[in-house]
Amino acid sequence: MILTVTLNTALDITYKVAALTPHATHRVGEVVERPGGKGINVARVLAALGHESVVTGFAGGPTGAVLREMLAPLAPHDALVEVAGNTRRTVAVADDATGDTTQLNEPGPTVTPGEWTAFLSSYDSLLRDAEAVALCGSLPPGIHVGAYAELVRRARAAEVPVLLDTSGEPLRRGIAARPDLIKPNADELARLTGSREPLRATRDARRRGAHAVVASLGPEGLLAATPDGTWQAEPPEPVKGNPTGAGDSAVAGLLSGMVTGLSWPERLSRAVALSAATVLAPAAGQFDATAYEELLPRVTVVEHTTGMPAK
Amino acid sequence: MILTVTLNTALDITYKVAALTPHATHRVGEVVERPGGKGINVARVLAALGHESVVTGFAGGPTGAVLREMLAPLAPHDALVEVAGNTRRTVAVADDATGDTTQLNEPGPTVTPGEWTAFLSSYDSLLRDAEAVALCGSLPPGIHVGAYAELVRRARAAEVPVLLDTSGEPLRRGIAARPDLIKPNADELARLTGSREPLRATRDARRRGAHAVVASLGPEGLLAATPDGTWQAEPPEPVKGNPTGAGDSAVAGLLSGMVTGLSWPERLSRAVALSAATVLAPAAGQFDATAYEELLPRVTVVEHTTGMPAK
């Protein structure tokens, strides 16, 4: 199975309003709730691709109970660790006219040292059956900034390939523990390396400790710096739609390709096609299976053959 | 005991953010939750004044469970009727700098005909022990617009004095069933009567069927048109603070004065002092007991002696 870790799970709530006006009162037309957090999204896409997937991380309180109830009928197996605090909500307020959304993210429950210890023990035992593990998203209050570095080290000790998808200081510290793969977007990459030049920044991120770096560049697709070479993979044409979850689908594609033993160009094609098929799907965070099948053979992958630093 | 009815109860959530910017992502600094809905606020103030109070209406789903759990340690007795749907949330986004709030109100669960019948049966039996009843707030989806008229008629048949505090068409229909008292604010009164002239509109509202009308005019206090005369009651000085719940505190003051057998000027003084003490309290929807005691003897009540239409 493939394990995904979401330390700060969320109940994602979407409110449809006519238009958001600060300091006014709004009648919400429609309320949609779904289990959220990057690792949960990744696990759902993996399950849709036919992989056995297991989600862990933390859930607690009344919101955690709702999240787990909504997760129960879905394919990913729930191995979340119970916490005393209340799982966070995220509220996306979507304007009816434009579809533009305003996002309000609760901080999440404070995780106690005892709860973190319980998680580590569960994580170690889940690693025993894992073909790969993905560490996804932000850290909840109470979790030390080096937490992902610790989880990377434990995965490497268990000889389980580990993908890290986070940002800021947790990413910086996590890279130093030498994960197999990181998947920053252009902003995260710029914060990490100080460079907005994608090829330079991606290679620089690799030098900091990640064995491979796959940068997601939005409409320009993915740029991968790996021990086997450097590639850029692009969708055959620009896609229009809701980009929510597109990065998580790319992570799922990379993991899926990794455990299936695909070559880097094949992995990147899978990740780009899934990502584009997610943008095209009407519901946020899901992918359009027909569009995926149709896009997959048409993704272009170009190798950068010069200036590749030895590693 | 005094019964309050809240057909569309709510879990009131407050989010503190630096400043709300449409189409941006916000980290919520602080999350505060409290049981909400006008009738629940009224019952809490009544309990603080020493009255036995009972809340009824609907609650259901995970949000209803949270609301009832938060209500349990409070003084009002919970006689809410369980529904299958999920109780609504209201989200108040408060800007840190200015304190201005942006309100997002979910519609509430759709109440089925069977649930409405169960409520009516419970309501009739609660009326047997009630000294007075207050019908408060908006109607949830599924409840017919004449619902308050029906609840007014049942209270009158049971000889229980009934106060109606709602707006729009439910208010218009409810008034025709001849409630003992309505408490519109200036906007509600204008929508009902077409007049923005408070004295004329208040008397007009009375002619439509309410035995007494107490209009809440914000900083100008209360204007009452009653069978015993017409009075205006004002706080001794303007008060600054959070007006959330001030109207509900006025309703509690009017009910408290009614069941205690106070004269109209005494009832109005109590309602105005409670309302002002609610604006002054730091927490939304609570009143400052010391400020209330201090304000009560200083409220000015003036009788309008001319032009009072016979009824």
Side-chain angles (χ1 to χ4, degrees):
Chain A
M1 59 86 170
I2 301 175
L3 179 64
T4 73
V5 174
T6 315
L7 296 178
N8 210 2
T9 56
L11 182 67
D12 288 340
I13 303 172
T14 303
Y15 284 165
K16 294 255 185 198
V17 300
L20 183 67
T21 311
H23 314 151
T25 295
H26 304 75
R27 245 171 235 272
V28 175
E30 195 195 353
V31 181
V32 179
E33 295 185 353
R34 61 190 297 277
K38 281 165 177 275
I40 288 179
N41 299 341
V42 170
R44 290 179 69 174
V45 175
L46 284 170
L49 291 173
H51 295 278
E52 196 189 336
S53 64
V54 176
V55 294
T56 188
F58 298 107
T63 307
V66 170
L67 182 140
R68 297 183 84 159
E69 202 177 299
M70 297 184 85
L71 205 53
L74 305 179
H77 177 73
D78 174 357
L80 294 165
V81 173
E82 187 77 25
V83 285
N86 194 21
T87 292
R88 72 192 173 123
R89 289 164 290 213
T90 73
V91 178
V93 185
D95 288 11
D96 248 349
T98 59
D100 288 329
T101 63
T102 308
Q103 191 73 36
L104 296 155
N105 297 335
E106 295 187 8
T110 299
V111 176
T112 66
E115 289 163 348
W116 175 242
T117 304
F119 169 79
L120 286 178
S121 143
S122 164
Y123 176 71
D124 284 344
S125 86
L126 288 164
L127 281 176
R128 272 178 231 134
D129 297 318
E131 301 164 85
V133 58
L135 312 174
C136 303
S138 64
L139 299 176
I143 297 288
H144 66 96
V145 73
Y148 278 136
E150 185 167 353
L151 299 187
V152 168
R153 279 192 296 269
R154 285 174 185 243
R156 289 176 53 78
E159 296 181 341
V160 177
V162 53
L163 182 155
L164 176 62
D165 185 15
T166 187
S167 59
E169 193 58 25
L171 173 60
R172 192 181 297 272
R173 302 264 191 122
I175 289 178
R178 305 185 63 77
D180 293 273
L181 179 57
I182 63 168
K183 194 218 62 61
N185 61 29
D187 284 344
E188 287 157 0
L189 203 56
R191 270 202 301 275
L192 180 69
T193 66
S195 167
R196 284 233 157 242
E197 200 284 292
L199 191 60
R200 168 188 296 221
T202 303
R203 287 173 172 169
D204 179 21
R206 229 193 122 213
R207 273 193 295 273
R208 286 162 191 261
H211 286 270
V213 177
V214 176
S216 58
L217 306 175
E220 281 84 52
L222 299 173
L223 176 63
T226 82
D228 303 331
T230 301
W231 289 274
Q232 175 131 16
E234 282 187 53
E237 61 259 339
V239 288
K240 272 201 168 177
N242 187 341
T244 306
D248 301 331
S249 290
V251 167
L254 293 170
L255 285 169
S256 169
M258 177 195 284
V259 302
T260 320
L262 298 186
S263 68
W264 272 107
E266 290 168 315
R267 295 184 203 182
L268 295 170
S269 294
R270 183 170 289 191
V272 165
L274 275 174
S275 192
T278 301
V279 174
L280 289 169
Q286 288 171 22
F287 72 93
D288 179 327
T290 311
Y292 167 61
E293 295 294 344
E294 192 275 322
L295 285 162
L296 186 58
R298 300 200 297 124
V299 173
T300 59
V301 185
V302 175
E303 185 164 13
H304 288 267
T305 49
T306 55
M308 176 65 205
K311 175 138 187 176
Chain B
M1 60 86 168
I2 301 175
L3 179 64
T4 73
V5 174
T6 314
L7 296 178
N8 211 1
T9 55
L11 182 67
D12 289 340
I13 303 172
T14 304
Y15 284 165
K16 295 256 186 197
V17 300
L20 183 68
T21 310
H23 314 150
T25 295
H26 305 75
R27 244 172 235 271
V28 175
E30 195 194 352
V31 181
V32 179
E33 294 185 354
R34 62 190 296 278
K38 281 166 176 275
I40 288 179
N41 299 341
V42 171
R44 290 178 70 175
V45 175
L46 284 170
L49 291 172
H51 296 278
E52 198 189 333
S53 63
V54 176
V55 295
T56 188
F58 298 108
T63 308
V66 170
L67 181 141
R68 297 183 84 159
E69 202 177 300
M70 297 184 86
L71 206 52
L74 305 179
H77 177 74
D78 174 356
L80 294 165
V81 173
E82 188 77 24
V83 286
N86 193 21
T87 292
R88 71 192 173 123
R89 289 164 289 212
T90 73
V91 178
V93 185
D95 287 12
D96 247 350
T98 60
D100 288 329
T101 63
T102 308
Q103 192 72 36
L104 296 156
N105 296 336
E106 295 186 8
T110 298
V111 176
T112 66
E115 289 163 348
W116 176 241
T117 304
F119 170 78
L120 287 177
S121 144
S122 164
Y123 176 70
D124 284 344
S125 88
L126 289 165
L127 281 176
R128 275 180 226 130
D129 297 319
E131 300 164 85
V133 58
L135 310 175
C136 303
S138 64
L139 299 176
I143 297 287
H144 65 97
V145 74
Y148 278 136
E150 185 168 352
L151 299 186
V152 168
R153 279 193 295 271
R154 285 175 183 243
R156 288 177 53 78
E159 297 182 338
V160 177
V162 53
L163 183 155
L164 177 61
D165 184 16
T166 186
S167 59
E169 194 56 25
L171 173 61
R172 193 181 297 272
R173 303 264 190 122
I175 289 177
R178 305 184 62 76
D180 293 273
L181 180 57
I182 62 169
K183 195 221 60 62
N185 62 29
D187 285 342
E188 287 156 1
L189 203 55
R191 270 202 299 273
L192 180 69
T193 66
S195 168
R196 284 233 158 244
E197 199 284 291
L199 191 59
R200 168 186 296 222
T202 302
R203 286 173 171 169
D204 180 22
R206 229 194 122 214
R207 273 193 295 273
R208 285 163 191 261
H211 287 270
V213 177
V214 176
S216 57
L217 306 175
E220 282 84 51
L222 300 174
L223 176 63
T226 83
D228 303 332
T230 301
W231 288 273
Q232 175 131 17
E234 284 186 50
E237 62 260 339
V239 288
K240 272 202 168 176
N242 187 341
T244 307
D248 301 331
S249 290
V251 167
L254 293 169
L255 286 168
S256 168
M258 177 196 284
V259 303
T260 321
L262 298 186
S263 69
W264 273 107
E266 290 167 315
R267 294 184 202 181
L268 295 170
S269 294
R270 184 171 290 191
V272 165
L274 275 173
S275 193
T278 302
V279 175
L280 290 169
Q286 288 171 23
F287 72 94
D288 178 328
T290 311
Y292 167 62
E293 296 293 344
E294 191 276 323
L295 285 161
L296 186 57
R298 300 200 296 123
V299 173
T300 60
V301 185
V302 175
E303 185 164 12
H304 289 267
T305 49
T306 56
M308 176 64 202
K311 175 141 187 175

